[in-house]
Amino acid sequence: MTSATAALAPEALDSTARDKLKLVVVALVVVTIAELIGSAQFKLGPGKVVLLPMLWALLLAAAWGIAARRTPSALRIHTGLQSYAGGLLNAGLLLFIVKLGLTVGSALPYVRQAGWALVFQEFGHAFGTLALGLPLALLLGIKREAVGATFSVGREGNLAIIGEKYGMASAEGRGVLAEYITGTVLGALFIAVLAGFVTSLGIFDPRSLAMGAGVGSGSLMAAAIGAISAQQPPEMVKQLTAIAAASNLLTTVVGFYFTLFLSLPLCSWLYGKLEPVLGRFSKRQSADTASLAGVAGVAAPELRLVDNLVACVLMAGGVMIGNLLSFKVPMLQSLAGMLAVIAVVLAVGLVKRLLPRMPMVLVLSLVATVVGIPGLLPFSDALIALTAKLNFLAFTTPVLALAGFSVAKDLPMFRQLGWRIVVVSLTATAGTFLGATLIAEFFH
């Protein structure tokens, strides 16, 4: 998971042009180093763990941010710039979403073939978190925080649900905030390792794994599908990416209502039934997240036009570097494709003004999918041809580099979380991936 909703600090908005340029340059250096390192894998029991450039980018960026006080001023990414990186991540993910939408549109036959599996796997995303996370939380002695931490993966919409129903100062509010912070700091790294390991076991259809990857978070999906695709034949990557993108869109849109009307009430009911039974195995009290009681929900303001342009430059540069180093695509071809992607974002931004209440992510996903259908519009085929050379994994490296810089500022708060709530949060993340994968597997 990313900190795409991390609040922009006031000093970030007042950052000088030099500071912003420094962030772009350092981020591109991180992307270059990550792509040069390349992929690595090692055996772990019956499976293997695959480490991709995007993970190196996340770790390098996070380490760079953490070491800010020991870094020369010319290279220092201070807390204000780390917050600014979180804001840029919002804009950067829009370009990523366009790539996903175009992939879905051009591969609609594959999505149709997924059929009912794509529909019913959403139950796995909705209930897999509490199936694994809630019993573990109770066994570890976590109380009502367990409801907020395990009813779903703690993304922005779920923060809003818990905040409205219980308030962020409540035990449930502390639980969902702990899940959000854990996912922000460790989510992408954790799910990439998990997805790569499960894929290596060879027990699931790759299409089922791709559906499981669509957990409703752009960065988590990117990390998971990247690890899955790295172990598949090249001709399958487009199909799997399209299925994962469709699943992610479904989870983003429909998943909100699943969690609001189904998984949250069920989680609260199960807590009442299971806590007297499982809670007796631990004498621990619900104190781990008490220090978060005064923490408010986080929300990022809209970036200014110049900041959106900075994000576009950074993403375009990162994709061009990744495409060149890892996939041998000439930079000019990548640049033409990225300009087409940016044009789609700008056009949808104008359309969004006519539909102010519609979420930008939803509008952008739908428009990109429609214009990506071959032959549907006069320019569809040309757009598909321009963007075809943009490899999906090349997008994930700059996205996770920004995520790495952004999460560095959250580590002090992350340290306030007890180890038990961290374990529970990661288990809930595993539950949503594995739950959806298991349900989808019944249809393959």
Side-chain angles (χ1 to χ4, degrees), residues 7-52:
L8 285 175
E11 62 267 32
L13 294 177
D14 295 330
S15 293
T16 64
R18 181 180 299 176
D19 272 349
K20 294 176 181 179
L21 177 61
K22 177 171 63 176
L23 176 62
V24 171
V25 171
V26 170
L28 293 180
V29 168
V30 167
V31 169
T32 302
I33 295 173
E35 295 288 356
L36 288 173
I37 294 173
S39 300
Q41 58 183 341
F42 59 89
K43 293 284 292 182
L44 183 64
K48 61 183 178 182
V49 174
V50 180
L51 304 177
L52 299 171

Side-chain angles (χ1 to χ4, degrees), residues 228-239:
I228 295 166
S229 299
Q231 302 182 52
Q232 308 303 326
E235 59 271 17
M236 285 194 67
V237 172
K238 182 177 180 180
Q239 175 185 2

Side-chain angles (χ1 to χ4, degrees), residues 66 82 107 113 124 133 151 195 293 315 352 369-370:
I66 293 169
Q82 292 168 19
Q113 288 175 13
F151 84 104
M315 283 295 296
K352 176 67 170 59
T369 299
V370 171

Side-chain angles (χ1 to χ4, degrees), residues 121-424:
Q121 58 84 35
E122 181 55 35
F123 286 93
H125 283 310
F127 301 127
T129 50
L130 63 91
L132 292 183
L134 182 60
L136 177 62
L138 298 179
L139 287 171
L140 292 177
I142 298 174
K143 302 302 180 182
R144 288 294 300 185
E145 284 88 352
V147 175
T150 64
F151 84 104
S152 182
V153 175
R155 297 317 303 145
E156 294 78 21
N158 298 326
L159 288 175
I161 290 173
I162 291 294
E164 177 68 22
K165 186 172 180 61
Y166 297 103
M168 291 306 294
S170 65
E172 293 83 359
R174 296 194 297 271
V176 74
L177 186 59
E179 164 70 8
Y180 180 89
I181 296 170
T182 302
T184 294
V185 177
L186 294 177
L189 177 62
F190 173 75
I191 201 169
V193 174
L194 174 66
F197 177 75
V198 173
T199 301
S200 72
L201 298 177
I203 58 178
F204 293 112
D205 188 299
R207 294 169 296 172
S208 300
L209 292 164
M211 292 181 201
V215 298
S217 164
S219 59
L220 289 185
M221 195 219 76
I225 194 60
I228 295 166
S229 299
Q231 302 182 52
Q232 308 303 326
E235 59 271 17
M236 285 194 67
V237 172
K238 182 177 180 180
Q239 175 185 2
L240 297 180
T241 304
I243 291 173
S247 172
N248 201 63
L249 178 60
L250 185 66
T251 303
T252 300
V253 179
V254 180
F256 180 86
Y257 300 99
F258 264 79
T259 54
L260 179 61
F261 297 114
L262 292 176
S263 61
L264 178 57
L266 178 61
C267 188
S268 183
W269 180 81
L270 284 175
Y271 174 87
K273 297 294 183 181
L274 295 178
E275 200 281 330
V277 178
L278 299 180
R280 69 179 63 175
F281 290 96
S282 175
K283 295 181 179 180
R284 302 288 303 187
Q285 294 300 313
S286 170
D288 285 334
T289 57
S291 59
L292 300 177
V295 179
V298 290
E302 291 290 331
L303 294 179
R304 296 174 297 183
L305 176 60
V306 65
D307 300 314
N308 283 282
L309 293 177
V310 170
C312 289
V313 169
L314 197 158
M315 283 295 296
V319 171
M320 290 165 63
I321 291 170
N323 249 3
L324 177 66
L325 296 179
S326 295
F327 304 101
K328 312 308 177 187
V329 178
M331 279 198 168
L332 286 179
Q333 290 187 18
S334 298
L335 177 59
M338 287 305 298
L339 290 175
V341 169
I342 293 170
V344 173
V345 174
L346 294 176
V348 173
L350 296 176
V351 173
K352 176 67 170 59
R353 293 185 178 183
L354 303 176
L355 304 167
R357 295 187 178 182
M358 294 287 286
M360 180 64 173
V361 170
L362 176 59
V363 177
L364 192 61
S365 298
L366 294 176
V367 171
T369 299
V370 171
V371 301
I373 299 175
L376 182 65
L377 298 173
F379 58 85
S380 292
D381 291 342
L383 182 62
I384 294 170
L386 280 173
T387 57
K389 292 290 187 178
L390 300 177
N391 194 281
F392 169 77
L393 288 177
F395 278 82
T396 63
T397 309
V399 163
L400 290 194
L402 283 173
F405 285 123
S406 180
V407 302
K409 71 183 185 312
D410 295 323
L411 288 183
M413 184 177 293
F414 185 70
R415 295 190 190 101
Q416 295 178 22
L417 304 177
W419 65 267
R420 290 179 300 281
I421 198 71
V422 174
V423 171
V424 168

